[in-house]
DNA sequence: GGGCAACTTGATCAACCGGTCAACTTCGTC
DNA sequence: GACGAAGTTGACCGGTTGATCAAGTTGCCC
């Protein structure tokens, strides 16, 4: 693997960026099972070059996921300075729903002290701040926490992965929240006759 | 592949059921990448027996997904006869969220005239009826259709699969609905001072 | 219980995967 | 422009996968 202590040579730095971009596209197109060979092909380098930049496939994924987390953290922190707490949270959810990828899953529960975990914690902190502000403004329910939203973003991805150790009760809670979104707004409610109407 | 014209021999019928059960468990435990060899082991038969019952891995998955669709259709139709339209829809969503698996995805958009597609259309029809009843009772918004709910059930799974041809606007609509579920209920709303409060 | 079709099986195949390595090429420096 | 370090490469490895097939076994009907 190329040492990270010394700055990369010009061609190596270029190839690294090409590889990250190619891997991003390939993972987006074919999911986490995209092969290293295909990624190398797309980047226009040999397969062995991939392993000279990243020790393993997992490490390549970690680099990409780390970038996702970092980008979302930037978005969350920027939205924290906006005027409208409700729009800020809504905008972030929209952004995050598009930004979270399948491979990000792998590192959501990781608790080693890797760089990815650090970036994930940064993101979690920024999201919590967004939610705290929205809660203080009364635009989300009192019991909603930053962790809730952080997990809610990823819940769809979690369910899809058929994660065996996912807490069913937790998902039921999110299920109920989503169902709440289906209820009619107050303005749409027609006056209903009481059950004992003759 | 074993002919479907003639009834199966007793041992073959037993093995087919064992295989379907084993495949269900294996896919649930390891996702869609579970190997045919593991499935055969779990069922207690040789790997070649799997291919004597199902022409390919895809066909085995199709058989399982077909069963899922059929089971959910039964649930939806049963709930259609219950007294409470709101509880019926809610119960179905809960049931469906647990019933839909990763591998079901593959066949949601399939439009060939296979047996799976037929079963999927049956399910879609039953869900639409459930939603129509709920809408008529005023417990879901007027603009929610059966197709909406049918897709909403699968949306989490869809997003996770990073389906490249998913309509972003469609997902944004569902995103907005889910976000609605986060809004405070009327009872929780504290009286807010108007913006021009001195 | 004999005979035959239906079914099962272990051996085997080609394709593909992540990963390694020694030989080669290229960049940066003096 | 030459030299050494840094980076790249194609060939290759062990392992796994979905799928095949001839040979053997089993259930079923007369």
């Amino acid at each position: 693997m190329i040492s990270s202590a010394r700055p990369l040579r010009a061609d190596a730095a270029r190839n690294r960026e090409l590889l990250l971009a190619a891997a991003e596209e390939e993972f987006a197109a074919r999911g986490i099972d995209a092969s290293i060979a295909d990624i190398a092909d797309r980047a226009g380098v040999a397969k062995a070059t991939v392993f000279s930049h990243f020790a393993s496939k997992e490490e390549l994924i970690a680099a990409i996921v780390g970038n996702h987390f970092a980008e979302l953290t930037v978005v969350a922190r920027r939205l924290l300075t906006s005027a409208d707490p409700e729009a800020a949270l809504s905008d972030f959810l929209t952004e995050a729903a598009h930004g979270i990828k399948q491979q990000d899953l792998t590192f959501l529960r990781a608790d080693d002290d890797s760089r990815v975990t650090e970036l994930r914690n940064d993101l979690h902190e920024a999201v919590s701040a967004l939610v705290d502000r929205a809660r203080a403004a009364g635009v989300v329910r009192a019991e909603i926490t930053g962790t809730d939203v952080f997990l809610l973003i990823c819940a769809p991805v979690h369910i899809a992965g058929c994660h065996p150790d996912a807490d069913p009760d937790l998902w039921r809670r999110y299920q109920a929240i989503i169902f709440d979104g289906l209820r009619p707004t107050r303005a749409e409610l027609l006056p209903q006759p009481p059950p004992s109407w003759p």
Side-chain angles (χ1 to χ4, degrees), chain A:
Chain A
M1 185 171 63
I2 294 177
S3 162
S4 57
R6 217 178 295 260
L8 285 178
R9 222 169 66 177
D11 55 342
R14 194 186 64 239
N15 279 343
R16 191 175 201 277
E17 290 311 307
L18 284 173
L19 274 172
L20 282 172
E24 183 99 33
E25 292 170 19
E26 205 69 25
F27 282 134
R30 311 204 189 208
I32 201 159
D33 289 330
S35 76
I36 298 287
D38 286 348
I39 291 171
D41 279 352
R42 190 187 277 258
V45 301
K47 191 170 63 164
T49 302
V50 179
F51 291 100
S52 84
H53 283 275
F54 309 96
S56 64
K57 185 181 184 180
E58 191 178 350
E59 200 169 283
L60 168 60
I61 296 173
I64 293 177
V65 172
N67 285 349
H68 285 170
F69 285 165
E71 287 166 12
L72 282 179
T73 303
V74 168
V75 170
R77 286 183 179 151
R78 173 167 45 77
L79 286 169
L80 262 176
T81 68
S82 75
D84 184 348
E86 182 173 9
L89 182 56
S90 176
D91 287 356
F92 178 77
L93 291 180
T94 303
E95 191 85 21
H98 288 91
I100 292 281
K101 308 282 184 178
Q102 186 185 4
Q103 67 264 22
D104 298 352
L105 248 191
T106 323
F107 295 91
L108 280 177
R109 291 177 181 248
D111 52 0
D112 50 14
D113 47 7
S114 67
R115 178 177 155 273
V116 196
T117 304
E118 191 181 323
L119 291 168
R120 182 200 57 181
N121 292 340
D122 288 350
L123 175 57
H124 182 256
E125 194 180 340
V127 172
S128 293
L130 263 183
V131 173
D132 287 347
R133 201 168 66 119
R135 194 191 311 105
V139 294
V140 300
R141 301 182 184 174
E143 75 269 21
I144 298 290
T145 70
T147 304
D148 281 336
V149 172
F150 187 64
L151 288 180
L152 183 55
I153 296 169
C154 315
V157 192
H158 264 285
I159 299 302
C162 298
H163 226 57
D165 54 345
D167 184 352
D169 287 323
L170 204 59
W171 168 243
R172 205 167 293 128
R173 217 177 125 208
Y174 297 141
Q175 164 69 34
I177 290 176
I178 293 175
F179 184 69
D180 268 357
L182 291 177
R183 291 180 199 279
T185 58
R186 194 55 54 130
E188 279 178 311
L189 266 181
L190 300 174
Q192 298 283 324
S196 58
W197 200 274

